[in-house]
Amino acid sequence: MHIHFLGICGTFMGSLALIARSLGHTVTGSDTAIYPPMSTQLEQAGIEILEGYDAAHLNPSPDLVVVGNVCKRGMEAVEYMLSHHLPYTSGPQFLCEHVLQHRHVLAVAGTHGKTTTTTMLSWILQYAGIDTGFLIGGVPLVNTDDERLKSAFAHSSHLGKDYFVIEADEYDSAFFDKRSKFVHYRPTTAILNNLEYDHADIFPDLKAIQTQFHHMIRMIPATGQIIMPANTNSLEETLNMGVWTPVWRTSIDGDSDWQASLIKEDGSLFHVKHGDDKSTVSWNMSGTHNVHNALVAIAAAHHVGVSVSKACEALSNFGGIKRRMELIGEINGIQVYDDFAHHPTAITTTLDGAKKKLNGRTIWAVIEPRSNTMKLGSHREQLAPSALLADHVLWYEPENLTWGLTQAIGNTPNQLVLTSTDAIINHLVKHAKSGDVIIIMSNGGFESIHTRLLDALHK
């Protein structure tokens, strides 16, 4: 079958396209935002990517069009698809019908940490010898000589066998299906990692997101398992709408079903306890948010038969994930990291982990407010406070940002708003010193500022 993906370079759609290729289908795709790492993975898999959303991309007609949620009425390809009655579906529906049927689905939901936790859980299961399938909204970093693991994690998705780990996004499925993606997944094991207001472009308030979470909870069987952090009011309120599945709660240094206790303040070494089971994780990750992510992943793996000790061993050999505090270069003693943080809470937790890990080094945060919620200004009052842990902050304000980032940041000490990536690079080249750390935070390509900055620092 020839399947054409509209919006193929999004992290979800790209990973899904790789799975369709693994199923033996001929796969092509269209997009306007074509940049690594997803574009590289697709090209390496032999998938042709076409620029734009031209009607010509659907002629001759594919057997099926999988429509990404970036696509809207009025796009040439969408109008051609509808006018010519081409068979089409959403990405989540395709995944449900072609992959998830008859599998034990482990879904990772939450406002923050979905990609990292999904990767951790997939890694634990594969490390334990379970050939689980997975779809991750990012690219794992695999530092191992184990050929089986290297093969499984060669891409951001893997077909696997009886189990499937999926990043369960609450964003809508397609222009013709406004339900959250995760209602299609019907999990047996569900991680509810956290819940805050986000996606202001489609949800009017937190209650609307809680309603979508509850739609998924309604479909989890009584033989399944829900895993969530203790003392999270927004999640407890969601469960109060009705829950028919056992719940494990997790905490750091708290009294809960699953507990972690920090041995090192930066989270690089910690104990895990569940009942009489105890073990230790020693890894290269940092931040209490990643300890939380690890704990729920260990619990989910335990639900499908992986011992606590094996899961902790797996995470002690975990390489991380691209764009999550990924060190991309060091020039003249200045380290440059790439991070995906695009919500005030994520900015704060990333900087907290970095401060504890990097032992007093001067930290520069370079932040692009690129997500739809950021663009709408829903978090404008939280932005300056979210970055206070950095020693210096450079905010990027593009021309199409209409709500006034400069006014939102105001006179916050050591925070500066610049209107071009060239200006940001020039400022860093002039003021950053040997021993400093630069953390670039964006959920997009950010005009390739990472490589441009490294080149500029090298001159």
Side-chain angles (χ1 to χ4, degrees):
M1 183 163 65
H2 174 203
I3 305 173
H4 189 85
F5 284 75
L6 292 177
I8 194 170
C9 287
T11 51
F12 171 77
M13 290 290 281
S15 298
L16 187 59
L18 290 167
I19 284 180
R21 186 77 175 83
S22 297
L23 290 168
H25 302 302
T26 299
V27 178
T28 57
S30 304
D31 212 323
T32 55
I34 300 173
Y35 55 82
M38 187 54 68
S39 61
T40 304
Q41 286 195 66
L42 294 168
E43 289 164 359
Q44 289 174 347
I47 295 173
E48 182 183 9
I49 307 172
L50 303 169
E51 178 75 37
Y53 293 108
D54 300 340
H57 298 168
L58 300 177
N59 188 14
S61 299
D63 299 296
L64 179 67
V65 181
V66 180
V67 183
N69 62 7
V70 300
C71 296
K72 299 176 174 61
R73 289 302 305 266
M75 286 183 172
E76 186 178 316
V78 169
E79 297 305 316
Y80 181 91
M81 175 189 79
L82 295 173
S83 298
H84 289 76
H85 305 290
L86 302 185
Y88 65 90
T89 188
S90 71
Q93 187 68 32
F94 178 88
L95 184 65
C96 173
E97 294 175 352
H98 293 265
V99 179
L100 301 184
Q101 297 271 11
H102 312 301
R103 294 205 193 202
H104 182 125
V105 176
L106 300 95
V108 180
T111 309
H112 316 293
K114 289 187 293 294
T115 299
T116 301
T117 307
T118 304
T119 308
M120 289 179 185
L121 178 54
S122 303
W123 175 261
I124 292 170
L125 297 183
Q126 286 285 347
Y127 189 96
I130 300 172
D131 185 22
T132 183
F134 56 80
L135 194 157
I136 301 167
V139 181
L141 297 170
V142 182
N143 301 317
T144 178
D145 293 328
D146 188 318
E147 292 299 326
R148 183 185 65 83
L149 289 173
K150 285 200 290 189
S151 176
F153 288 95
H155 300 296
S156 55
S157 58
H158 178 69
L159 191 56
K161 293 182 180 177
D162 298 329
Y163 297 90
F164 201 92
V165 183
I166 177 69
E167 183 173 330
D169 188 0
E170 69 270 27
Y171 210 77
D172 60 0
S173 297
F175 73 85
F176 50 85
D177 181 357
K178 306 312 286 184
R179 294 173 296 171
S180 290
K181 291 177 183 176
F182 56 42
V183 300
H184 294 279
Y185 300 154
R186 304 176 186 178
T188 300
T189 307
I191 292 173
L192 310 180
N193 216 9
N194 41 64
L195 182 51
E196 293 186 54
Y197 183 56
D198 199 4
H199 305 306
D201 52 325
I202 60 172
F203 293 118
D205 50 34
L206 178 62
K207 186 172 179 57
I209 305 176
Q210 289 174 307
T211 298
Q212 291 295 319
F213 269 70
H214 191 247
H215 290 332
M216 180 178 69
I217 289 170
R218 288 175 181 171
M219 294 183 283
I220 305 171
T223 53
Q225 187 69 55
I226 293 172
I227 302 153
M228 55 179 266
N231 304 315
T232 305
N233 289 338
S234 56
L235 289 175
E236 296 293 350
E237 290 171 358
T238 306
L239 293 188
N240 287 340
M241 298 179 192
V243 60
W244 300 265
T245 308
V247 180
W248 280 332
R249 289 171 176 82
T250 65
S251 63
I252 296 178
D253 297 323
D255 183 15
S256 58
D257 303 295
W258 289 82
Q259 303 167 34
S261 54
L262 301 182
I263 303 171
K264 291 188 176 180
E265 185 185 20
D266 67 354
S268 62
L269 183 65
F270 60 94
H271 290 315
V272 173
K273 182 177 182 293
H274 173 62
D276 294 329
D277 292 331
K278 299 178 182 178
S279 196
T280 302
V281 174
S282 176
W283 61 351
N284 62 4
M285 303 285 282
S286 65
T288 54
H289 61 300
N290 278 321
V291 177
H292 277 293
N293 294 338
L295 191 56
V296 293
I298 291 168
H302 186 75
H303 184 236
V304 296
V306 179
S307 69
V308 173
S309 60
K310 177 59 74 171
C312 289
E313 178 188 328
L315 288 182
S316 295
N317 289 278
F318 179 62
I321 185 168
K322 280 184 176 293
R323 307 206 67 192
R324 271 64 179 182
M325 274 301 290
E326 179 191 1
L327 178 61
I328 58 172
E330 182 171 351
I331 305 293
N332 300 325
I334 301 172
Q335 291 184 340
V336 179
Y337 287 83
D338 185 15
D339 194 83
F340 200 73
H342 59 281
H343 182 285
T345 299
I347 293 169
T348 298
T349 55
T350 295
L351 291 173
D352 178 64
K355 291 286 282 189
K356 290 172 179 174
K357 178 180 180 178
L358 297 169
N359 298 320
R361 299 178 71 170
T362 297
I363 292 179
W364 294 78
V366 179
I367 308 172
E368 178 188 26
R370 182 182 176 276
S371 71
N372 287 328
T373 305
M374 286 279 210
K375 288 177 180 177
L376 290 170
S378 299
H379 296 311
R380 73 183 75 183
E381 302 303 323
Q382 300 168 258
L383 293 183
S386 75
L388 289 176
L389 288 173
D391 298 287
H392 305 280
V393 184
L394 302 180
W395 294 92
Y396 173 53
E397 183 174 26
E399 291 183 0
N400 60 358
L401 201 66
T402 59
W403 48 265
L405 179 59
T406 300
Q407 290 73 23
I409 301 305
N411 296 319
T412 307
N414 301 317
Q415 297 197 21
L416 179 65
V417 177
L418 297 173
T419 57
S420 75
T421 52
D422 283 339
I424 292 172
I425 291 170
N426 291 337
H427 187 92
L428 290 168
V429 168
K430 182 177 180 180
H431 296 285
K433 298 178 176 59
S434 179
D436 289 1
V437 171
I438 300 170
I439 304 173
I440 299 173
M441 301 181 184
S442 170
N443 68 342
F446 205 170
E447 299 179 12
S448 301
I449 191 174
H450 316 76
T451 54
R452 290 165 53 208
L453 174 59
L454 288 172
D455 288 344
L457 289 171
H458 195 268
K459 294 177 180 176

